Amino acid sequence: MNTRLWIAALVVVVLGAGAYYLNLDTGPELPEDFALGNGRVEGVQIDIVSRIAGRVESVDVLEGELVEVGQQVASIDTRLLRTQLASAKAQVTSAEALTASAAANVAQAEATLALAAISLDRTRELNERGTATDAQLDSSEIEHAVAEANLQAAKASFHAQQALAEVSRAAVEEAQTNIEDATLVAPRPGRVLYRLVEPGEMVASGGQVVSMVDLGNIYLEFYLSELDAHRIAIGNEARIKLDIAPDFVVPAQVSFVSPVSQFTPSQVETEDTRAELVFRVRVRIAEELVKERIQMIKTGMRAVVYVRLTSPEPSEWPDYLTVNIPPVAE
C-alpha cells in the first residue's frame, strides 16, 4: 500500500472513532451521579434438546419465528415407544395376576397355620392328661412349625410379586413419559435462532434440536470504570436509548454488577477510555414491557445505557431521558 492510501485509511479510522464518541455522548452533560455506556440488546439463549434418542418426525418452527410458552417446536417418532408401552402394560397385567395368586397363597397358609395351632393346643392338653403320647405331641409341633414356615414363604413370595408389579408399573410410567417427551415445546416466549436438525435425522439423548432466544429475559451489558462501578448497586435505575430509535427512552434496572474487574474488552469502549480495568454491568428490561412489544424486540440492536449512581442527594433524570416507551404494536 502506498503512503497516500495508508494516510487515507488512517483518516477514515480516526473519523470513525470520532463519530463513535459523538454518538456515545448523546445529550447534554450528565449530572455527576449518572454514568453511561454502550451495549447491545441481548437475550438468554435456550437450546431445546431431546431427552430421548430417536428419529426426528417433525420440526414445526422456522428460524426467526416467534414462539410462545408451551408451543410445539419439534417431535420425535414414537412408534417404538408405543410398542414398549403396550409391552409394559401387558407385564403389569401379568404381574398383578401373580400378585393376586400370591395373596391367595398367603391367606391359605394363614388358615393352615391357624388349624395347626389349634391342633397343637389340643394335643398338648391331651398329653398333659395322659391320653396323647409324646410322639403325637412332637408330630403336632412339627406340623405347626411347617405351617408357620409355609406362611413366611408365602408372604415373601407375595412381597416379591408386589415388587415386580411395581417395576412393571414404573416401566409403563417411563414409556408414557418418553412418549410425552417426544413432543418438544418452547419453555419460554422467544424467537427461533436455529433449526439444528431436520425431519428424518436421528438425534441422540440430549441432542440439540432447536435453539431460541428467550425474549422474556432481555438485558444489556456495558462496562464502567472503577471510578463509577463502586457507586452502582443492584436495583439502581437505568434508561436505555436505542441507536435505531433515539426518541424512545426505555426504563430498566441494574440486575448484575461484576464483583471483579477485568481488562477492557477489545470490542467495547467505555466513557472513561483511560481506565485500564472495568467492571461488567447488566441492566434488565421488565418482562411485562418486553412481552407487550415482543414483535419489536430484535437482539443485537445497539443502545446507550444511562444508569443512576448511588448518591446521598440523587439528581433528577435529565429531560431528554424522560421515559418514553414505544407504543404497543396493533
Side-chain angles (χ1 to χ4, degrees):
M1 178 182 294
N2 60 39
T3 303
R4 290 183 178 179
L5 289 177
W6 186 88
I7 293 174
L10 181 61
V11 169
V12 170
V13 171
V14 172
L15 290 176
Y20 172 83
Y21 289 113
L22 287 175
N23 180 62
L24 184 61
D25 188 14
T26 55
E29 184 176 353
L30 282 169
E32 63 176 11
D33 56 340
F34 288 89
L36 64 86
N38 68 309
R40 295 187 306 171
V41 176
E42 299 182 57
V44 175
Q45 184 171 327
I46 300 173
D47 292 325
I48 301 176
V49 302
S50 175
R51 195 186 68 84
I52 60 174
R55 185 181 66 83
V56 178
E57 186 172 57
S58 68
V59 181
D60 306 298
V61 292
L62 300 174
E63 292 178 353
E65 181 178 340
L66 286 171
V67 293
E68 299 178 355
V69 176
Q71 179 178 336
Q72 179 173 322
V73 298
S75 63
I76 308 298
D77 188 358
T78 60
R79 286 176 294 180
L80 177 61
L81 295 175
R82 294 188 183 282
T83 300
Q84 294 173 347
L85 176 60
S87 175
K89 287 182 175 180
Q91 290 177 0
V92 168
T93 301
S94 175
E96 288 178 344
L98 291 174
T99 301
S101 176
N105 290 338
V106 170
Q108 182 179 357
E110 288 175 339
T112 302
L113 178 60
L115 290 174
I118 294 172
S119 177
L120 177 60
D121 289 341
R122 289 177 179 175
T123 303
R124 282 175 177 166
E125 184 180 349
L126 292 174
N127 181 260
E128 290 173 357
R129 294 177 182 179
T131 57
T133 65
D134 290 342
Q136 290 175 319
L137 178 60
D138 291 342
S139 177
S140 293
E141 289 177 343
I142 291 173
E143 288 178 358
H144 182 271
V146 169
E148 194 170 41
N150 288 340
L151 176 59
Q152 296 302 318
K155 287 182 177 180
S157 177
F158 172 71
H159 292 314
Q161 290 299 331
Q162 277 188 319
L164 290 175
E166 287 300 320
V167 170
S168 299
R169 294 188 190 98
V172 170
E173 291 181 5
E174 180 181 7
Q176 290 174 333
T177 300
N178 287 339
I179 290 174
E180 293 172 0
D181 287 343
T183 300
L184 279 62
V185 300
R188 298 277 295 166
R191 190 180 300 276
V192 177
L193 292 178
Y194 306 107
R195 289 165 52 117
L196 301 173
V197 296
E198 294 298 330
E201 295 183 23
M202 295 297 296
V203 63
S205 175
Q208 298 178 0
V209 177
V210 170
S211 181
M212 60 174 281
V213 61
D214 180 3
L215 294 184
N217 189 2
I218 295 298
Y219 64 90
L220 289 90
E221 284 187 348
F222 62 104
Y223 295 81
L224 289 180
S225 71
E226 58 185 350
L227 299 176
D228 292 327
H230 77 283
R231 299 177 60 193
I232 195 169
I234 304 298
N236 280 19
E237 289 182 276
R239 302 284 166 87
I240 298 168
K241 293 187 73 171
L242 296 171
D243 289 1
I244 62 172
D247 293 336
F248 294 115
V249 178
V250 181
Q253 278 192 325
V254 174
S255 60
F256 172 81
V257 180
S258 176
V260 295
S261 62
Q262 64 184 80
F263 286 103
T264 308
S266 59
Q267 78 278 15
V268 174
E269 295 291 346
T270 62
E271 182 180 9
D272 186 356
T273 57
R274 294 171 298 177
E276 292 183 357
L277 294 176
V278 293
F279 290 80
R280 181 164 58 95
V281 180
R282 176 180 293 185
V283 297
R284 186 172 182 272
I285 303 173
E287 187 170 344
E288 295 74 20
L289 294 180
V290 174
K291 284 185 176 181
E292 292 174 352
R293 298 159 179 83
I294 197 167
Q295 292 285 354
M296 306 177 187
I297 301 298
K298 302 290 189 296
T299 56
M301 294 187 296
R302 299 199 66 82
V304 179
V305 184
Y306 301 82
V307 61
R308 184 195 293 277
L309 304 177
T310 302
S311 173
E313 297 181 2
S315 304
E316 296 294 330
W317 283 95
D319 291 341
Y320 69 94
L321 291 179
T322 300
V323 172
N324 182 21
I325 305 173
V328 178
E330 296 295 336

PDB file of all heavy atoms in Angstrom, residues 134-153:
ATOM      1  N   ASP A 134     -46.238 -88.690  73.650  1.00  0.00           N
ATOM      2  CA  ASP A 134     -45.241 -87.650  73.332  1.00  0.00           C
ATOM      3  C   ASP A 134     -44.978 -87.595  71.831  1.00  0.00           C
ATOM      4  O   ASP A 134     -44.701 -86.521  71.273  1.00  0.00           O
ATOM      5  CB  ASP A 134     -43.933 -87.936  74.082  1.00  0.00           C
ATOM      6  CG  ASP A 134     -44.077 -87.720  75.599  1.00  0.00           C
ATOM      7  OD1 ASP A 134     -45.050 -87.036  75.996  1.00  0.00           O
ATOM      8  OD2 ASP A 134     -43.210 -88.208  76.338  1.00  0.00           O
ATOM      9  N   ALA A 135     -45.071 -88.761  71.169  1.00  0.00           N
ATOM     10  CA  ALA A 135     -44.856 -88.797  69.716  1.00  0.00           C
ATOM     11  C   ALA A 135     -45.925 -87.992  68.993  1.00  0.00           C
ATOM     12  O   ALA A 135     -45.650 -87.271  68.016  1.00  0.00           O
ATOM     13  CB  ALA A 135     -44.836 -90.238  69.208  1.00  0.00           C
ATOM     14  N   GLN A 136     -47.173 -88.108  69.470  1.00  0.00           N
ATOM     15  CA  GLN A 136     -48.250 -87.310  68.857  1.00  0.00           C
ATOM     16  C   GLN A 136     -48.026 -85.811  69.075  1.00  0.00           C
ATOM     17  O   GLN A 136     -48.294 -84.987  68.190  1.00  0.00           O
ATOM     18  CB  GLN A 136     -49.602 -87.746  69.445  1.00  0.00           C
ATOM     19  CG  GLN A 136     -50.030 -89.127  68.991  1.00  0.00           C
ATOM     20  CD  GLN A 136     -51.305 -89.588  69.692  1.00  0.00           C
ATOM     21  OE1 GLN A 136     -51.471 -89.361  70.917  1.00  0.00           O
ATOM     22  NE2 GLN A 136     -52.196 -90.222  68.949  1.00  0.00           N
ATOM     23  N   LEU A 137     -47.554 -85.471  70.271  1.00  0.00           N
ATOM     24  CA  LEU A 137     -47.267 -84.056  70.559  1.00  0.00           C
ATOM     25  C   LEU A 137     -46.149 -83.537  69.650  1.00  0.00           C
ATOM     26  O   LEU A 137     -46.238 -82.427  69.102  1.00  0.00           O
ATOM     27  CB  LEU A 137     -46.879 -83.879  72.032  1.00  0.00           C
ATOM     28  CG  LEU A 137     -46.500 -82.460  72.462  1.00  0.00           C
ATOM     29  CD1 LEU A 137     -47.665 -81.494  72.222  1.00  0.00           C
ATOM     30  CD2 LEU A 137     -46.069 -82.435  73.927  1.00  0.00           C
ATOM     31  N   ASP A 138     -45.087 -84.363  69.491  1.00  0.00           N
ATOM     32  CA  ASP A 138     -43.978 -83.954  68.610  1.00  0.00           C
ATOM     33  C   ASP A 138     -44.482 -83.749  67.182  1.00  0.00           C
ATOM     34  O   ASP A 138     -44.065 -82.804  66.493  1.00  0.00           O
ATOM     35  CB  ASP A 138     -42.867 -85.013  68.635  1.00  0.00           C
ATOM     36  CG  ASP A 138     -42.154 -85.074  69.981  1.00  0.00           C
ATOM     37  OD1 ASP A 138     -42.290 -84.086  70.750  1.00  0.00           O
ATOM     38  OD2 ASP A 138     -41.492 -86.080  70.253  1.00  0.00           O
ATOM     39  N   SER A 139     -45.360 -84.640  66.742  1.00  0.00           N
ATOM     40  CA  SER A 139     -45.891 -84.525  65.374  1.00  0.00           C
ATOM     41  C   SER A 139     -46.699 -83.241  65.207  1.00  0.00           C
ATOM     42  O   SER A 139     -46.586 -82.546  64.177  1.00  0.00           O
ATOM     43  CB  SER A 139     -46.772 -85.752  65.063  1.00  0.00           C
ATOM     44  OG  SER A 139     -47.343 -85.631  63.775  1.00  0.00           O
ATOM     45  N   SER A 140     -47.506 -82.868  66.202  1.00  0.00           N
ATOM     46  CA  SER A 140     -48.297 -81.634  66.129  1.00  0.00           C
ATOM     47  C   SER A 140     -47.393 -80.405  66.110  1.00  0.00           C
ATOM     48  O   SER A 140     -47.653 -79.426  65.405  1.00  0.00           O
ATOM     49  CB  SER A 140     -49.260 -81.556  67.309  1.00  0.00           C
ATOM     50  OG  SER A 140     -50.239 -82.553  67.217  1.00  0.00           O
ATOM     51  N   GLU A 141     -46.333 -80.461  66.919  1.00  0.00           N
ATOM     52  CA  GLU A 141     -45.403 -79.325  66.942  1.00  0.00           C
ATOM     53  C   GLU A 141     -44.703 -79.148  65.601  1.00  0.00           C
ATOM     54  O   GLU A 141     -44.489 -78.024  65.130  1.00  0.00           O
ATOM     55  CB  GLU A 141     -44.373 -79.523  68.067  1.00  0.00           C
ATOM     56  CG  GLU A 141     -44.974 -79.359  69.459  1.00  0.00           C
ATOM     57  CD  GLU A 141     -43.974 -79.625  70.558  1.00  0.00           C
ATOM     58  OE1 GLU A 141     -42.924 -80.251  70.258  1.00  0.00           O
ATOM     59  OE2 GLU A 141     -44.221 -79.228  71.717  1.00  0.00           O
ATOM     60  N   ILE A 142     -44.334 -80.269  64.967  1.00  0.00           N
ATOM     61  CA  ILE A 142     -43.681 -80.200  63.649  1.00  0.00           C
ATOM     62  C   ILE A 142     -44.642 -79.644  62.604  1.00  0.00           C
ATOM     63  O   ILE A 142     -44.274 -78.798  61.769  1.00  0.00           O
ATOM     64  CB  ILE A 142     -43.173 -81.601  63.243  1.00  0.00           C
ATOM     65  CG1 ILE A 142     -42.004 -82.018  64.150  1.00  0.00           C
ATOM     66  CG2 ILE A 142     -42.751 -81.598  61.774  1.00  0.00           C
ATOM     67  CD1 ILE A 142     -41.551 -83.442  63.942  1.00  0.00           C
ATOM     68  N   GLU A 143     -45.905 -80.104  62.649  1.00  0.00           N
ATOM     69  CA  GLU A 143     -46.901 -79.605  61.695  1.00  0.00           C
ATOM     70  C   GLU A 143     -47.105 -78.093  61.862  1.00  0.00           C
ATOM     71  O   GLU A 143     -47.248 -77.349  60.882  1.00  0.00           O
ATOM     72  CB  GLU A 143     -48.232 -80.333  61.903  1.00  0.00           C
ATOM     73  CG  GLU A 143     -48.208 -81.777  61.438  1.00  0.00           C
ATOM     74  CD  GLU A 143     -49.530 -82.480  61.707  1.00  0.00           C
ATOM     75  OE1 GLU A 143     -50.431 -81.814  62.302  1.00  0.00           O
ATOM     76  OE2 GLU A 143     -49.659 -83.652  61.363  1.00  0.00           O
ATOM     77  N   HIS A 144     -47.098 -77.642  63.110  1.00  0.00           N
ATOM     78  CA  HIS A 144     -47.253 -76.201  63.369  1.00  0.00           C
ATOM     79  C   HIS A 144     -46.048 -75.421  62.843  1.00  0.00           C
ATOM     80  O   HIS A 144     -46.200 -74.350  62.218  1.00  0.00           O
ATOM     81  CB  HIS A 144     -47.419 -75.967  64.874  1.00  0.00           C
ATOM     82  CG  HIS A 144     -47.627 -74.528  65.226  1.00  0.00           C
ATOM     83  ND1 HIS A 144     -46.586 -73.649  65.483  1.00  0.00           N
ATOM     84  CD2 HIS A 144     -48.776 -73.792  65.356  1.00  0.00           C
ATOM     85  CE1 HIS A 144     -47.059 -72.462  65.747  1.00  0.00           C
ATOM     86  NE2 HIS A 144     -48.402 -72.510  65.696  1.00  0.00           N
ATOM     87  N   ALA A 145     -44.847 -75.940  63.058  1.00  0.00           N
ATOM     88  CA  ALA A 145     -43.636 -75.258  62.575  1.00  0.00           C
ATOM     89  C   ALA A 145     -43.613 -75.194  61.051  1.00  0.00           C
ATOM     90  O   ALA A 145     -43.225 -74.174  60.455  1.00  0.00           O
ATOM     91  CB  ALA A 145     -42.393 -75.971  63.107  1.00  0.00           C
ATOM     92  N   VAL A 146     -44.025 -76.307  60.409  1.00  0.00           N
ATOM     93  CA  VAL A 146     -44.063 -76.326  58.933  1.00  0.00           C
ATOM     94  C   VAL A 146     -45.093 -75.310  58.422  1.00  0.00           C
ATOM     95  O   VAL A 146     -44.835 -74.577  57.456  1.00  0.00           O
ATOM     96  CB  VAL A 146     -44.393 -77.753  58.426  1.00  0.00           C
ATOM     97  CG1 VAL A 146     -44.696 -77.723  56.927  1.00  0.00           C
ATOM     98  CG2 VAL A 146     -43.250 -78.703  58.723  1.00  0.00           C
ATOM     99  N   ALA A 147     -46.246 -75.260  59.062  1.00  0.00           N
ATOM    100  CA  ALA A 147     -47.279 -74.308  58.646  1.00  0.00           C
ATOM    101  C   ALA A 147     -46.798 -72.868  58.810  1.00  0.00           C
ATOM    102  O   ALA A 147     -47.065 -71.992  57.977  1.00  0.00           O
ATOM    103  CB  ALA A 147     -48.559 -74.542  59.447  1.00  0.00           C
ATOM    104  N   GLU A 148     -46.056 -72.621  59.896  1.00  0.00           N
ATOM    105  CA  GLU A 148     -45.516 -71.283  60.134  1.00  0.00           C
ATOM    106  C   GLU A 148     -44.470 -70.923  59.080  1.00  0.00           C
ATOM    107  O   GLU A 148     -44.444 -69.795  58.566  1.00  0.00           O
ATOM    108  CB  GLU A 148     -44.910 -71.225  61.535  1.00  0.00           C
ATOM    109  CG  GLU A 148     -44.639 -69.811  62.012  1.00  0.00           C
ATOM    110  CD  GLU A 148     -44.261 -69.782  63.483  1.00  0.00           C
ATOM    111  OE1 GLU A 148     -43.489 -70.682  63.916  1.00  0.00           O
ATOM    112  OE2 GLU A 148     -44.749 -68.896  64.201  1.00  0.00           O
ATOM    113  N   ALA A 149     -43.617 -71.883  58.706  1.00  0.00           N
ATOM    114  CA  ALA A 149     -42.609 -71.643  57.676  1.00  0.00           C
ATOM    115  C   ALA A 149     -43.265 -71.410  56.323  1.00  0.00           C
ATOM    116  O   ALA A 149     -42.830 -70.546  55.542  1.00  0.00           O
ATOM    117  CB  ALA A 149     -41.647 -72.827  57.609  1.00  0.00           C
ATOM    118  N   ASN A 150     -44.308 -72.199  56.032  1.00  0.00           N
ATOM    119  CA  ASN A 150     -45.020 -72.018  54.757  1.00  0.00           C
ATOM    120  C   ASN A 150     -45.649 -70.630  54.661  1.00  0.00           C
ATOM    121  O   ASN A 150     -45.685 -70.025  53.581  1.00  0.00           O
ATOM    122  CB  ASN A 150     -46.094 -73.095  54.602  1.00  0.00           C
ATOM    123  CG  ASN A 150     -45.508 -74.467  54.311  1.00  0.00           C
ATOM    124  OD1 ASN A 150     -44.361 -74.581  53.864  1.00  0.00           O
ATOM    125  ND2 ASN A 150     -46.270 -75.519  54.593  1.00  0.00           N
ATOM    126  N   LEU A 151     -46.148 -70.137  55.805  1.00  0.00           N
ATOM    127  CA  LEU A 151     -46.739 -68.793  55.801  1.00  0.00           C
ATOM    128  C   LEU A 151     -45.663 -67.741  55.504  1.00  0.00           C
ATOM    129  O   LEU A 151     -45.884 -66.817  54.716  1.00  0.00           O
ATOM    130  CB  LEU A 151     -47.403 -68.508  57.142  1.00  0.00           C
ATOM    131  CG  LEU A 151     -47.972 -67.087  57.301  1.00  0.00           C
ATOM    132  CD1 LEU A 151     -49.025 -66.801  56.236  1.00  0.00           C
ATOM    133  CD2 LEU A 151     -48.558 -66.900  58.704  1.00  0.00           C
ATOM    134  N   GLN A 152     -44.488 -67.881  56.128  1.00  0.00           N
ATOM    135  CA  GLN A 152     -43.414 -66.922  55.871  1.00  0.00           C
ATOM    136  C   GLN A 152     -42.983 -66.961  54.413  1.00  0.00           C
ATOM    137  O   GLN A 152     -42.720 -65.913  53.789  1.00  0.00           O
ATOM    138  CB  GLN A 152     -42.226 -67.212  56.797  1.00  0.00           C
ATOM    139  CG  GLN A 152     -42.530 -67.029  58.276  1.00  0.00           C
ATOM    140  CD  GLN A 152     -43.021 -65.619  58.599  1.00  0.00           C
ATOM    141  OE1 GLN A 152     -42.492 -64.627  58.088  1.00  0.00           O
ATOM    142  NE2 GLN A 152     -44.041 -65.530  59.451  1.00  0.00           N
ATOM    143  N   ALA A 153     -42.934 -68.155  53.833  1.00  0.00           N
ATOM    144  CA  ALA A 153     -42.559 -68.289  52.421  1.00  0.00           C
ATOM    145  C   ALA A 153     -43.617 -67.662  51.514  1.00  0.00           C
ATOM    146  O   ALA A 153     -43.291 -66.998  50.515  1.00  0.00           O
ATOM    147  CB  ALA A 153     -42.354 -69.758  52.061  1.00  0.00           C
TER     148      ALA A 153
END
